[in-house]
Amino acid sequence: MNQKLIAGNWKMNGSLSFNQALVGALRAGLQSPAACRIAVCVPAPYLSQLAELLKGSPIDLGAQDVSSHDAGAYTGEVCAAMLREFGVRYATVGHSERRQYHGETDAVVADKVRLALASGITPIVCVGETLAQRESEQTEAVVKRQLAAVIHANGHCISEIVVAYEPVWAIGTGRTATPAQAQQVHGVLRAQLKAATEQADRMPILYGGSMNAANAAELLGQPDIDGGLIGGASLKAADFLAIIAAAGRLAA
Ligand code: PEP
Protein backbone atom coordinates (compact mmCIF):
# COMPACT_ATOMS: atom_id res chain seq x y z
CA MET A 1 0.00 0.00 0.00
CA ASN A 2 1.04 3.59 -0.61
CA GLN A 3 1.95 5.91 2.21
CA LYS A 4 -0.98 6.65 4.52
CA LEU A 5 -2.85 9.92 4.04
CA ILE A 6 -3.65 12.02 7.10
CA ALA A 7 -6.05 14.86 6.33
CA GLY A 8 -7.23 17.47 8.81
CA ASN A 9 -10.73 18.89 8.51
CA TRP A 10 -10.69 22.21 10.30
CA LYS A 11 -14.43 22.67 9.76
CA MET A 12 -15.54 26.27 10.52
CA ASN A 13 -12.63 26.99 12.83
CA GLY A 14 -9.58 29.18 12.66
CA SER A 15 -8.56 32.83 12.34
CA LEU A 16 -5.60 34.49 10.67
CA SER A 17 -3.57 34.35 13.87
CA PHE A 18 -4.72 30.86 14.92
CA ASN A 19 -3.90 29.43 11.48
CA GLN A 20 -0.45 30.93 11.51
CA ALA A 21 0.33 29.54 14.95
CA LEU A 22 -1.06 26.09 14.12
CA VAL A 23 0.80 25.73 10.83
CA GLY A 24 3.97 27.05 12.47
CA ALA A 25 3.73 24.38 15.16
CA LEU A 26 2.99 21.64 12.62
CA ARG A 27 5.93 22.63 10.45
CA ALA A 28 8.23 22.76 13.45
CA GLY A 29 7.12 19.31 14.60
CA LEU A 30 7.17 17.45 11.31
CA GLN A 31 9.94 15.10 10.36
CA SER A 32 11.58 15.61 7.00
CA PRO A 33 10.78 13.89 4.74
CA ALA A 34 7.31 13.15 6.11
CA ALA A 35 6.55 9.43 6.36
CA CYS A 36 2.96 9.88 5.24
CA ARG A 37 0.96 12.20 3.05
CA ILE A 38 -0.58 15.13 4.93
CA ALA A 39 -3.27 17.65 4.07
CA VAL A 40 -5.34 20.28 5.83
CA CYS A 41 -8.83 21.15 4.58
CA VAL A 42 -9.48 24.72 5.63
CA PRO A 43 -12.32 27.25 5.39
CA ALA A 44 -12.42 28.91 1.96
CA PRO A 45 -11.50 32.46 3.09
CA TYR A 46 -8.18 31.15 4.42
CA LEU A 47 -7.05 29.33 1.28
CA SER A 48 -4.71 32.07 0.13
CA GLN A 49 -3.23 32.48 3.61
CA LEU A 50 -2.70 28.74 3.88
CA ALA A 51 -1.24 28.52 0.39
CA GLU A 52 1.49 30.89 1.61
CA LEU A 53 1.94 29.29 5.04
CA LEU A 54 2.30 25.79 3.55
CA LYS A 55 4.82 26.72 0.87
CA GLY A 56 7.81 24.38 0.97
CA SER A 57 6.15 22.11 3.55
CA PRO A 58 4.98 18.52 3.04
CA ILE A 59 1.41 19.56 3.89
CA ASP A 60 -1.01 19.79 0.98
CA LEU A 61 -3.82 22.31 0.85
CA GLY A 62 -7.43 21.14 0.92
CA ALA A 63 -10.86 22.71 0.75
CA GLN A 64 -13.99 21.52 2.56
CA ASP A 65 -16.46 21.65 -0.30
CA VAL A 66 -16.72 22.34 -4.01
CA SER A 67 -19.69 23.57 -6.01
CA SER A 68 -21.73 21.15 -8.10
CA HIS A 69 -21.73 23.83 -10.83
CA ASP A 70 -18.76 24.96 -12.87
CA ALA A 71 -19.49 28.72 -13.05
CA GLY A 72 -22.27 31.27 -13.16
CA ALA A 73 -25.18 32.55 -11.12
CA TYR A 74 -24.72 30.51 -7.95
CA THR A 75 -24.32 33.09 -5.20
CA GLY A 76 -22.09 31.98 -2.37
CA GLU A 77 -20.70 28.97 -4.20
CA VAL A 78 -17.02 28.29 -4.92
CA CYS A 79 -16.21 26.19 -7.98
CA ALA A 80 -13.40 23.73 -8.44
CA ALA A 81 -11.50 25.89 -10.94
CA MET A 82 -11.33 28.70 -8.36
CA LEU A 83 -10.02 26.35 -5.71
CA ARG A 84 -7.40 25.08 -8.11
CA GLU A 85 -6.12 28.64 -8.62
CA PHE A 86 -5.23 28.69 -4.93
CA GLY A 87 -3.26 25.47 -5.18
CA VAL A 88 -5.93 23.27 -3.65
CA ARG A 89 -5.03 19.61 -4.04
CA TYR A 90 -7.87 17.93 -2.08
CA ALA A 91 -11.47 18.76 -1.24
CA THR A 92 -13.75 16.92 1.13
CA VAL A 93 -17.02 16.22 -0.67
CA GLY A 94 -20.27 14.95 0.84
CA HIS A 95 -19.19 15.38 4.45
CA SER A 96 -22.07 14.32 6.70
CA GLU A 97 -22.41 17.88 7.99
CA ARG A 98 -23.03 19.02 4.38
CA ARG A 99 -25.45 16.18 3.76
CA GLN A 100 -27.25 16.92 7.03
CA TYR A 101 -27.31 20.73 7.19
CA HIS A 102 -27.21 21.59 3.49
CA GLY A 103 -29.36 18.82 2.08
CA GLU A 104 -26.67 17.39 -0.17
CA THR A 105 -27.99 14.31 -1.95
CA ASP A 106 -25.97 11.45 -3.40
CA ALA A 107 -26.54 12.95 -6.86
CA VAL A 108 -25.20 16.36 -5.82
CA VAL A 109 -22.18 14.72 -4.19
CA ALA A 110 -21.52 12.76 -7.39
CA ASP A 111 -21.61 15.98 -9.45
CA LYS A 112 -19.23 17.69 -7.05
CA VAL A 113 -16.81 14.79 -7.35
CA ARG A 114 -16.98 14.97 -11.15
CA LEU A 115 -16.21 18.68 -11.22
CA ALA A 116 -13.41 18.40 -8.67
CA LEU A 117 -11.74 15.68 -10.73
CA ALA A 118 -12.16 17.71 -13.92
CA SER A 119 -10.17 20.53 -12.29
CA GLY A 120 -7.42 18.28 -11.00
CA ILE A 121 -8.59 18.29 -7.38
CA THR A 122 -8.71 14.98 -5.54
CA PRO A 123 -12.09 14.64 -3.85
CA ILE A 124 -12.18 13.01 -0.44
CA VAL A 125 -15.61 11.46 -0.69
CA CYS A 126 -17.24 11.02 2.71
CA VAL A 127 -19.70 8.21 3.34
CA GLY A 128 -21.18 6.95 6.57
CA GLU A 129 -24.25 5.84 8.41
CA THR A 130 -26.18 7.47 11.24
CA LEU A 131 -26.60 5.73 14.57
CA ALA A 132 -30.20 4.80 13.73
CA GLN A 133 -29.02 3.26 10.45
CA ARG A 134 -26.32 1.26 12.23
CA GLU A 135 -28.75 0.06 14.86
CA SER A 136 -31.16 -1.10 12.20
CA GLU A 137 -28.34 -2.92 10.37
CA GLN A 138 -28.36 -0.63 7.34
CA THR A 139 -24.72 0.39 7.52
CA GLU A 140 -23.56 -1.58 4.47
CA ALA A 141 -26.53 -0.61 2.36
CA VAL A 142 -26.10 3.10 3.20
CA VAL A 143 -22.39 3.39 2.50
CA LYS A 144 -22.70 1.28 -0.66
CA ARG A 145 -25.53 3.47 -1.94
CA GLN A 146 -23.54 6.65 -1.24
CA LEU A 147 -20.43 5.31 -2.97
CA ALA A 148 -22.38 3.76 -5.87
CA ALA A 149 -23.73 7.19 -6.88
CA VAL A 150 -20.19 8.52 -7.12
CA ILE A 151 -18.92 5.47 -9.01
CA HIS A 152 -21.81 5.63 -11.45
CA ALA A 153 -21.26 9.31 -12.29
CA ASN A 154 -17.49 9.11 -12.58
CA GLY A 155 -16.73 6.04 -14.67
CA HIS A 156 -13.07 5.24 -15.15
CA CYS A 157 -11.99 8.40 -13.23
CA ILE A 158 -13.16 6.73 -10.05
CA SER A 159 -9.66 5.44 -9.33
CA GLU A 160 -8.61 9.07 -8.70
CA ILE A 161 -10.82 9.62 -5.66
CA VAL A 162 -10.11 9.15 -1.97
CA VAL A 163 -12.91 7.62 0.10
CA ALA A 164 -13.47 8.47 3.76
CA TYR A 165 -15.64 6.24 5.90
CA GLU A 166 -17.07 8.49 8.58
CA PRO A 167 -19.78 6.98 10.76
CA VAL A 168 -21.97 9.98 11.57
CA TRP A 169 -22.37 8.84 15.19
CA ALA A 170 -18.59 9.03 15.66
CA ILE A 171 -18.01 12.53 14.26
CA GLY A 172 -17.22 15.07 16.94
CA THR A 173 -18.77 12.86 19.60
CA GLY A 174 -15.67 11.32 21.13
CA ARG A 175 -17.21 7.96 20.29
CA THR A 176 -14.97 6.11 17.84
CA ALA A 177 -15.77 3.05 15.75
CA THR A 178 -13.78 0.11 17.05
CA PRO A 179 -10.95 -0.92 14.74
CA ALA A 180 -12.95 -4.06 13.89
CA GLN A 181 -16.11 -2.08 13.09
CA ALA A 182 -14.16 0.34 10.90
CA GLN A 183 -12.23 -2.44 9.14
CA GLN A 184 -15.43 -4.30 8.39
CA VAL A 185 -16.91 -1.31 6.55
CA HIS A 186 -13.61 -0.49 4.85
CA GLY A 187 -13.56 -4.07 3.55
CA VAL A 188 -17.04 -3.58 2.09
CA LEU A 189 -15.98 -0.33 0.43
CA ARG A 190 -12.79 -1.90 -0.94
CA ALA A 191 -14.79 -4.73 -2.49
CA GLN A 192 -17.15 -2.23 -4.07
CA LEU A 193 -14.23 -0.28 -5.52
CA LYS A 194 -12.67 -3.52 -6.78
CA ALA A 195 -15.80 -4.23 -8.75
CA ALA A 196 -15.45 -0.80 -10.37
CA THR A 197 -11.72 -0.49 -11.03
CA GLU A 198 -8.57 -2.56 -11.14
CA GLN A 199 -6.87 0.25 -9.20
CA ALA A 200 -8.89 -0.32 -6.02
CA ASP A 201 -5.99 -1.67 -4.00
CA ARG A 202 -4.04 1.55 -4.36
CA MET A 203 -7.00 3.83 -3.60
CA PRO A 204 -6.90 5.37 -0.11
CA ILE A 205 -9.87 4.65 2.13
CA LEU A 206 -9.62 6.89 5.20
CA TYR A 207 -11.36 6.47 8.53
CA GLY A 208 -12.85 9.54 10.22
CA GLY A 209 -14.75 9.93 13.47
CA SER A 210 -13.07 11.01 16.70
CA MET A 211 -9.67 9.71 15.64
CA ASN A 212 -7.10 11.00 18.11
CA ALA A 213 -3.55 10.53 19.33
CA ALA A 214 -4.56 7.60 21.53
CA ASN A 215 -6.58 5.52 19.07
CA ALA A 216 -4.88 6.36 15.75
CA ALA A 217 -2.27 3.59 15.70
CA GLU A 218 -4.78 0.79 16.17
CA LEU A 219 -7.24 2.17 13.63
CA LEU A 220 -4.53 2.90 11.08
CA GLY A 221 -3.10 -0.58 11.61
CA GLN A 222 -6.17 -2.22 10.05
CA PRO A 223 -5.51 -3.70 6.61
CA ASP A 224 -8.03 -1.56 4.71
CA ILE A 225 -7.56 1.70 6.63
CA ASP A 226 -5.20 3.81 4.55
CA GLY A 227 -5.31 6.98 6.58
CA GLY A 228 -7.49 9.30 8.59
CA LEU A 229 -9.77 12.28 8.18
CA ILE A 230 -9.37 14.16 11.42
CA GLY A 231 -11.66 16.90 12.72
CA GLY A 232 -11.19 18.11 16.30
CA ALA A 233 -7.72 16.64 16.79
CA SER A 234 -6.40 18.39 13.67
CA LEU A 235 -6.81 21.75 15.45
CA LYS A 236 -4.26 20.79 18.12
CA ALA A 237 -0.75 20.60 16.75
CA ALA A 238 0.49 18.00 19.24
CA ASP A 239 -2.45 15.69 18.57
CA PHE A 240 -2.31 16.02 14.80
CA LEU A 241 1.45 15.45 14.87
CA ALA A 242 0.97 12.34 17.01
CA ILE A 243 -1.50 10.92 14.48
CA ILE A 244 0.91 11.71 11.64
CA ALA A 245 3.70 9.99 13.57
CA ALA A 246 1.53 6.91 14.12
CA ALA A 247 0.80 6.76 10.40
CA GLY A 248 4.47 7.15 9.61
CA ARG A 249 5.47 4.31 11.93
CA LEU A 250 3.06 1.99 10.12
CA ALA A 251 4.61 2.87 6.78
CA ALA A 252 8.13 2.18 8.03
C1 PEP B 1 -14.71 15.15 10.58
O1 PEP B 1 -15.27 16.23 10.75
O2 PEP B 1 -14.52 14.73 9.42
C2 PEP B 1 -14.31 14.39 11.76
C3 PEP B 1 -13.87 13.17 11.60
O3 PEP B 1 -14.42 15.02 12.96
P1 PEP B 1 -13.88 14.48 14.39
O4 PEP B 1 -12.49 13.95 14.17
O5 PEP B 1 -13.90 15.70 15.24
O6 PEP B 1 -14.81 13.42 14.82
Side-chain angles (χ1 to χ4, degrees), residues 7-11 92 95-97 126 164-168 170-175 207-212 228-234:
N9 172 17
W10 289 7
K11 311 195 194 208
T92 52
H95 191 282
S96 63
E97 289 154 12
C126 303
Y165 169 53
E166 297 212 306
V168 179
I171 296 180
T173 60
R175 190 175 161 186
Y207 169 79
S210 300
M211 190 185 276
N212 57 39
L229 181 55
I230 326 293
S234 72

Side-chain angles (χ1 to χ4, degrees), residues 141-204:
V142 168
V143 298
K144 283 168 87 170
R145 188 204 71 222
Q146 291 172 334
L147 185 56
V150 173
I151 291 173
H152 180 71
N154 287 279
H156 64 274
C157 296
I158 199 65
S159 59
E160 301 308 316
I161 72 166
V162 170
V163 178
Y165 169 53
E166 297 212 306
V168 179
W169 48 272
I171 296 180
T173 60
R175 190 175 161 186
T176 315
T178 64
Q181 282 174 323
Q183 167 57 32
Q184 193 268 331
V185 178
H186 280 235
V188 167
L189 295 170
R190 182 85 64 202
Q192 189 176 5
L193 291 172
K194 277 188 178 160
T197 169
E198 289 173 1
Q199 306 295 317
D201 278 330
R202 64 149 194 81
M203 292 175 64

